[in-house]
Amino acid sequence: RTFAGTAALTTRSGGRAWLKSALLLLGLLSLVIALAGPYVDLRARGARRLGVDIVLAVDVSQSMATRDVEPDRLRMARRFAQELGERMIGSRVSLVLFAGQGTVRYPATTDPKILGEVLDNSGRGVRLQQGSSLAAAIESALAAFPVETGPSHGRAIVVVSDGEVTLGGTPDVATLVERGVKLYTVGIGSAQGGQIPTYNEHNGAFTGYLRGPDGVAIVSRLDESGLRSIAAAAGGRYWRYTGDDGVVGELAASLRTLEAVEAIETPSSVPDERSPIFVALATALVLMERFL
């Protein structure tokens, strides 16, 4: 204590000091090699993935205000659109809104994350016929595909709805099959259902529940059978969405299988780089020196 004082003791071993210096030197050398961009071979790059053309058709009929899911069906559909958009960056996505009729609300965009914001303002400037028609949804969705889309390009329609149909006939599934368009359906709601709230169109204040001619409140329920049948007829699949990310993941995986691959006219070669290995080695050597 008299000789060293109260400060923490450090090693005076010459061998250990040399080892620490050697580790730092080797770590620096590995980092320099990583910065040089070493590679072991060249790999050909002669194709590129084109993504998928997707039309997201969202039901905005009055029954989508039902609160049998939290916070309500329409806002859960908005959450679904946001999550799907985050997973399908690079694909072109259009947004169609439908009730008794359909309309293209947002043209094809390669930044589908914006669709959630568009759905937030779905009631502004859009006046659709009352009711709900899946036939109108499919018809509007087909018209929303970019005109320059080639026949080999992957195309799909994703319908998000509670499945209740009050208008229109059977959706034109045959046209989808003929044009090679896959149809996927996503159900929002519950089998128990709930009453349909109504709101003042000027200030948005709650005014009560929708009632039939007999004065009894109308109960809206998720109709999965119709959504499942039209998806199967068009070679697609049906999911019920309850806020589970697994549903979005499965749908995104199915959509990616439709991605087209385009050959590049002038293929090139890119290096098969190995820099990460040397960065990891440099990190390990510096940590070993610190521990010593």
Side-chain angles (χ1 to χ4, degrees):
R1 227 182 248 129
T2 302
F3 173 76
T6 57
L9 297 178
T10 57
T11 178
R12 304 306 300 167
S13 167
R16 182 172 295 187
W18 276 104
L19 179 58
K20 286 165 63 70
S21 299
L23 290 172
L24 280 179
L25 183 61
L26 287 174
L28 178 62
L29 179 62
S30 294
L31 193 58
V32 171
I33 295 175
L35 290 172
Y39 64 91
V40 294
D41 198 1
L42 294 175
R43 49 188 173 87
R45 183 179 62 183
R48 63 181 176 183
R49 304 192 74 85
L50 298 178
V52 186
D53 277 333
I54 305 167
V55 177
L56 183 63
V58 180
D59 188 349
V60 293
S61 61
Q62 206 166 2
S63 63
M64 290 295 285
T66 305
R67 297 176 179 174
D68 55 344
V69 292
E70 292 295 335
D72 58 44
R73 294 177 184 176
L74 186 58
R75 278 183 281 185
M76 182 166 279
R78 175 187 180 276
R79 177 180 171 184
F80 172 84
Q82 281 186 314
E83 292 181 358
L84 183 63
E86 290 171 359
R87 292 175 184 256
M88 297 306 297
I89 297 296
S91 293
R92 294 188 298 186
V93 185
S94 308
L95 178 64
V96 164
L97 303 181
F98 73 94
Q101 66 185 100
T103 183
V104 179
R105 181 61 167 147
Y106 205 87
T109 175
T110 54
D111 183 20
K113 291 186 294 184
I114 198 173
L115 298 183
E117 301 174 12
V118 176
L119 276 172
D120 259 352
N121 300 318
S122 60
R124 300 180 184 177
V126 178
R127 290 292 179 268
L128 298 175
Q129 179 183 348
Q130 292 296 322
S132 181
S133 170
L134 290 178
I138 301 300
E139 181 181 352
S140 298
L142 282 171
F145 282 112
V147 293
E148 73 276 10
T149 300
S152 62
H153 203 80
R155 294 183 295 175
I157 296 173
V158 179
V159 175
V160 184
S161 172
D162 56 22
E164 286 194 325
V165 177
T166 59
L167 294 174
T170 304
D172 187 8
V173 177
T175 301
L176 297 179
V177 176
E178 180 184 342
R179 298 184 185 181
V181 179
K182 292 286 186 181
L183 175 64
Y184 300 96
T185 56
V186 178
I188 305 286
S190 68
Q192 295 76 21
Q195 297 180 7
I196 304 173
T198 58
Y199 301 93
N200 187 297
E201 62 178 17
H202 299 294
N203 56 21
F206 174 71
T207 57
Y209 292 98
L210 188 65
R211 298 181 180 275
D214 55 1
V216 178
I218 298 174
V219 175
S220 171
R221 295 180 175 86
L222 170 64
D223 182 3
E224 295 185 281
S225 59
L227 294 173
R228 184 179 286 108
S229 62
I230 63 170
R237 183 180 167 187
Y238 165 78
W239 289 270
R240 180 187 171 198
Y241 180 68
T242 58
D244 181 12
D245 292 343
V247 170
V248 183
E250 290 181 14
L251 174 58
S254 297
L255 290 170
R256 289 194 186 97
T257 63
L258 306 177
E259 287 187 342
V261 178
E262 180 184 68
I264 298 177
E265 294 181 359
T266 55
S268 59
S269 297
V270 293
D272 192 6
E273 196 171 310
R274 290 293 186 266
S275 295
I277 297 175
F278 291 95
V279 172
L281 179 60
T283 303
L285 291 169
V286 171
L287 286 175
M288 288 174 62
E289 190 275 339
R290 290 290 90 193
F291 287 137
L292 283 176

